[in-house]
Amino acid sequence: TMLPIVSIVGQSQSGKTTLVEQLIGEFKRRGYRVATVKHACNDFDIDKQGKDTWRYTEAGSDAVAISAPRRLALVKLQDGNDSIDEILRLLGEDFDIIFIEGFHQAHVPKIEVYRKELKKDLRCDPGELKAIVSDDTLEVDVPQFSMRDIPGIAKFIKERIIGKRGDDTLLYVNGSPVILNQFAKQIFANALLGMVSSLKGVTEVRSLEVAVRKKGI
């Protein structure tokens, strides 16, 4: 993904949700636009039986959105695939940082919350572990932060994750991301930006999304 993203992982009851909550507040105070994604192991239902949106889903609609002046909610049926790539595509690009809680299998930067009293090993793949937030000192070669050092953790995320963001080009085919090498990215970006920039009414292009759907599919 071209968006800066960090996954907060750890054992149950380690304090992941509290850390995400505190980081959201810290980045909002700094003027950032923040999105958050929570991974649920079990299915859930935010529709109440008998409500209009519930009735639409029961009637067979594959996705139902409800919009109000200040909030938008989307309920979309899935076929068992809850990959972070599809979720990020639906969220869009209008954010400075995305926090996800869980998604241990996602190949994204991870910060693990470790609590000494749980007496369990680290869960994270060492290759994706960027930092540890703990009430203990561990023999691991990554930066470690106290659970109270929210400004320090936020500074680390800003410098190591947000600070590395650059221009990027993404391609999704049938909802799945396709890996592009640097040459292909350059071709796509230059061609699309060149065409769009020449269109009447288009001023500065900060981001560009194109969707093509074949007829009859």
Side-chain angles (χ1 to χ4, degrees):
T1 176
M2 64 186 294
L3 285 173
I5 180 172
V6 59
S7 176
I8 307 299
V9 301
Q11 301 289 347
S12 178
Q13 304 302 314
S14 61
K16 301 186 298 294
T17 300
T18 299
L19 177 61
V20 172
E21 182 182 30
Q22 292 173 325
L23 287 172
I24 291 170
E26 182 70 21
F27 277 94
K28 289 301 293 182
R29 282 190 291 273
R30 298 180 181 208
Y32 286 75
R33 288 184 59 82
V34 179
T36 314
V37 180
K38 163 76 176 183
H39 185 258
C41 296
N42 300 313
D43 205 1
F44 65 93
D45 192 355
I46 65 172
D47 271 350
K48 292 184 179 179
Q49 186 170 350
K51 292 292 186 179
D52 292 349
T53 50
W54 178 86
R55 291 170 60 184
Y56 299 152
T57 301
E58 289 297 298
S61 182
D62 295 306
V64 177
I66 181 168
S67 177
R70 290 178 55 84
R71 292 186 178 184
L72 171 69
L74 171 67
V75 179
K76 182 176 179 290
L77 297 182
Q78 299 194 115
D79 57 1
N81 174 27
D82 61 351
S83 75
I84 190 62
D85 293 306
E86 171 67 7
I87 296 169
L88 296 179
R89 186 176 70 87
L90 290 172
L91 277 176
E93 299 293 326
D94 195 23
F95 301 99
D96 300 306
I97 179 68
I98 295 180
F99 293 108
I100 61 176
E101 182 184 335
F103 287 97
H104 292 86
Q105 305 305 317
H107 298 300
V108 299
K110 295 182 175 72
I111 293 177
E112 179 152 355
V113 184
Y114 178 87
R115 195 173 290 277
K116 183 178 180 179
E117 65 187 47
L118 296 178
K119 299 179 180 178
K120 294 185 177 180
D121 295 332
L122 292 172
R123 294 192 63 180
C124 189
D125 179 345
E128 294 173 345
L129 183 63
K130 301 302 179 186
I132 292 174
V133 177
S134 178
D135 57 356
D136 195 13
T137 301
L138 305 179
E139 296 295 325
V140 182
D141 190 22
V142 296
Q144 299 185 42
F145 297 90
S146 160
M147 293 180 173
R148 296 183 297 274
D149 188 13
I150 301 303
I153 301 168
K155 182 174 183 289
F156 174 83
I157 292 172
K158 178 180 181 297
E159 293 177 352
R160 298 291 186 90
I161 298 174
I162 298 177
K164 291 186 175 182
R165 182 182 185 182
D167 294 341
D168 209 347
T169 303
L170 303 179
L171 175 64
Y172 288 88
V173 177
N174 300 330
S176 299
V178 175
I179 297 175
L180 299 173
N181 60 33
Q182 196 58 43
F183 177 74
K185 287 181 180 182
Q186 208 69 46
I187 294 294
F188 269 94
N190 290 343
L192 289 171
L193 289 172
M195 287 188 291
V196 171
S197 297
S198 66
L199 296 176
K200 185 177 180 180
V202 175
T203 54
E204 179 189 3
V205 179
R206 292 188 298 274
S207 66
L208 176 64
E209 294 183 27
V210 178
V212 178
R213 185 175 180 86
K214 294 177 68 176
K215 289 183 178 180
I217 297 180

